[in-house]
Amino acid sequence: MWQPARRATTASDGAQATAEVGLGTTVLGVLGLIVGPISLIGLLIWGGPVWAVLLGLSALAVLVAYIDPFR
């Protein structure tokens, strides 16, 4: 006689979990965008391998955030 109400399934049921998966790469990309110019300025002014490594790591972080393999 009385049937329990069915919950309608929509396309956005798993959207929150999916959005949280790529959040780490987004934060990594933002950190890369902050560290990149700072390390470039440091490399241009003082030189040295530390600034070059930081610049390379920040470029890699931005690339990983752009590709976003966890999406």
Side-chain angles (χ1 to χ4, degrees), residues 1 15 39-40 43 58 63 70:
M1 185 165 156
S39 60
L40 182 62
L43 184 62
S58 67
L63 180 66
F70 302 109

Side-chain angles (χ1 to χ4, degrees), residues 21-45:
V21 170
L23 186 62
T25 56
T26 303
V27 171
L28 189 68
V30 169
L31 286 175
L33 287 174
I34 293 170
V35 172
I38 293 171
S39 60
L40 182 62
I41 292 170
L43 184 62
L44 290 174
I45 294 174

Side-chain angles (χ1 to χ4, degrees), residues 7 9 13 16 20 23 25 46 48 71:
R7 187 173 149 281
T9 58
D13 281 350
Q16 186 66 26
E20 291 176 0
L23 186 62
T25 56
W46 296 289
R71 187 166 30 137

